[in-house]
Structure formats: structure tokens, C-alpha cells
Amino acid sequence: MSIEEKFNKEMLELYQTVGKTTGYWANYYLRSVRKNGGLAHAKKALSKKNDAQEGFKKLIEVGRPDLSIEATVLKERYKKLFSNDELKEAQRRIDTVPEYAWRKPMNANNNFFGEINNENLYIEGSIKKVVVNKYERNIEARKKCLEKHGYKCKVCKMSFEDTYGEIGKEFIHVHHIKPLAGIAKEYKLNPEKDLIPVCPNCHAMLHTYDPPLSVEELQNKLREKVNKLLERNI
Ligand SMILES: [Zn+2]
Ligand SMILES: [Zn+2]
């Protein structure tokens, strides 16, 4: 596969990854990449110097500028596909992204979301960052989510009742999958779509990043580990 083909493939994968991890399905982007190819689309996007760059802004809002065209263009392996001006423009845009907007690993020792007396919000500069997601604590929303999805962890499929018997009955955490940074004030929670049951282990692991990992990302990590263990046993 040539570098250009690899780039095109990665641009198509971006559509899927962004959709799955942020709920933002950029259909215009997909149509254009399919029609013109990823490289042509990226070059076009970089040529509009003063344009609104809606997609880029949206990705900053949801805390995933790392999934932008700009960040992809600047990957070492793709740089030779672009002119100096194009690279400069991509870098200029990346430089406008505030520090807090990048997805970052959470300090494990500050990751107290499972503890009951934790505050819902803390303030970082003027930006409200939600550490303990209030939607995950809402009793009614939680009930609706569990009626729909049951009590098995969506990531590892573990059930507390199957594992621990009677005492594990109806025990599970719920996790809010929408990135909070991108949520508007008037956001209305859909408990069946936006909340999922997860075991506390997987819940903690989802929150090792902010915005959190997606179910699929965590399952991939789990699979890698399980596959390695299986290989060793053969
Ligand atoms: Zn789990
Ligand atoms: Zn959560």
C-alpha cells in the first residue's frame, strides 16, 4: 500500500472512529472523502484559511482534536504528501487548540468517580470539567438504562449475579458515553442510548482518559491481553 493509499484509509477510518467515540457522524466529510479521496479532501480543507472549519471546532468541543484531519496530516509518516504551506496551516490550527481540549490520561489516584461523597464538578480555569458524571448518578435515568440493557457489563460481559450469586443481583455501575465537554446546556439525557451498564473495573478503565475511552477501544485492549494469554497457554 502506498503512503497515499494508507492516508486515504486512515481518513476513512477517522469517520468511523469519530462517530463511535464522540457520536459526531460527519456525513459531509465521508461523502467528500469517498468522492475525492482522503488526500484531495485534506488539501482542500487546508486551503480554506479563514473558513469556519466546523469539523475541527466540533472535535475540539468533544475533546478529541487528535482525531482531526489536521492532526492526521501532521503525522510524521504523511508529511511528505503535503506542501510546506499546507503543513504550516495544519500546525497553525493545531496551535490554536487550548491545552485542556486534548484528550489526556487521568491521574489514577484522582480518579474517584466510584466513591460516593465526591463532588460533581471542579473548576479548571473558567472551564467546568466534570469528573463525576452527574448523569451516572441519576436514579431514574439509571433505572431506565438498566431496564433496557440489563446488568451485564457492556465491555467484558461480566455479570455480578452470575459471578457472586444472590449478593451480586442488580449490582452494576452505569457509564455515560457522551463526551461531556461537547454537551450543550440544554442537553437532554437519553438514558437508553447515552448510558450503559459497566462493571466497576471496566468503568475505572474507561475513565483512565478524559474524554473517556469508548467501549470498543477498551474491548480492543482487553482482547489484546486475552489473546496474549491464550497464545501463552497453547
Ligand atoms: Zn466489565
Ligand atoms: Zn463513567
Side-chain angles (χ1 to χ4, degrees):
M1 209 188 275
S2 71
I3 298 174
E4 185 177 337
E5 285 165 339
K6 278 188 192 148
F7 181 79
N8 284 336
K9 190 167 165 264
E10 193 159 333
M11 290 280 282
L12 282 173
E13 284 164 0
L14 271 187
Y15 168 79
Q16 289 290 334
T17 312
V18 168
K20 277 184 199 150
T21 56
T22 71
Y24 170 51
W25 296 94
N27 292 313
Y28 164 79
Y29 169 86
L30 179 66
R31 274 199 302 277
S32 170
V33 171
R34 278 195 182 141
K35 190 170 155 226
N36 309 310
L39 186 59
H41 179 85
K43 283 176 180 279
K44 198 170 146 229
L46 289 170
S47 70
K48 295 193 221 158
K49 290 214 167 152
N50 298 311
D51 235 29
Q53 300 153 26
E54 285 309 324
F56 191 56
K57 280 186 194 155
K58 183 78 192 170
L59 288 169
I60 294 173
E61 248 172 53
V62 297
R64 295 307 304 275
D66 56 303
L67 297 176
S68 63
I69 300 172
E70 287 77 1
T72 310
V73 164
L74 289 170
K75 285 185 179 171
E76 212 46 54
R77 57 182 178 276
Y78 298 133
K79 279 187 172 170
K80 62 185 79 156
L81 296 171
F82 297 92
S83 71
N84 274 340
D85 281 351
E86 288 164 341
L87 292 174
K88 247 190 235 161
E89 175 60 13
Q91 189 62 56
R92 186 191 67 75
R93 291 183 195 175
I94 289 291
D95 290 343
T96 66
V97 178
E99 225 289 301
Y100 63 77
W102 294 95
R103 187 190 224 185
K104 53 189 81 61
M106 299 294 283
N107 178 344
N109 294 321
N110 290 335
N111 190 353
F112 296 128
F113 67 86
E115 292 179 12
I116 283 163
N117 293 323
N118 198 25
E119 283 296 311
N120 276 1
L121 302 167
Y122 73 86
I123 309 292
E124 186 185 82
S126 59
I127 305 297
K128 272 187 184 171
K129 291 210 81 179
V130 177
V131 177
V132 181
N133 188 326
K134 65 179 175 183
Y135 301 108
E136 297 181 353
R137 301 294 185 92
N138 181 307
I139 290 172
E140 272 311 301
R142 184 188 147 81
K143 223 176 110 195
K144 287 211 180 88
C145 157
L146 295 172
E147 272 165 20
K148 160 92 179 171
H149 296 288
Y151 291 84
K152 260 198 174 104
C153 174
K154 280 278 180 206
V155 180
C156 71
K157 313 297 178 193
M158 189 258 192
S159 144
F160 279 86
E161 191 177 7
D162 291 352
T163 310
Y164 296 99
E166 187 60 23
I167 55 165
K169 197 170 179 228
E170 300 192 348
F171 181 85
I172 199 81
H173 279 189
V174 301
H175 172 63
H176 183 243
I177 53 181
K178 287 254 163 93
L180 285 153
I183 284 176
K185 265 200 195 120
E186 62 278 15
Y187 165 71
K188 180 133 178 20
L189 176 79
N190 177 335
E192 298 188 348
K193 273 193 182 158
D194 303 342
L195 295 176
I196 51 163
V198 288
C199 74
N201 283 350
C202 291
H203 200 189
M205 292 299 103
L206 288 170
H207 282 278
T208 52
Y209 277 85
D210 176 27
L213 298 175
S214 67
V215 166
E216 198 181 37
E217 283 176 304
L218 188 56
Q219 280 177 333
N220 286 339
K221 290 183 194 296
L222 199 59
R223 263 183 219 122
E224 279 165 30
K225 177 81 183 163
V226 171
N227 285 343
K228 267 186 205 144
L229 287 171
L230 288 175
E231 268 166 35
R232 240 180 272 158
N233 284 342
I234 287 167

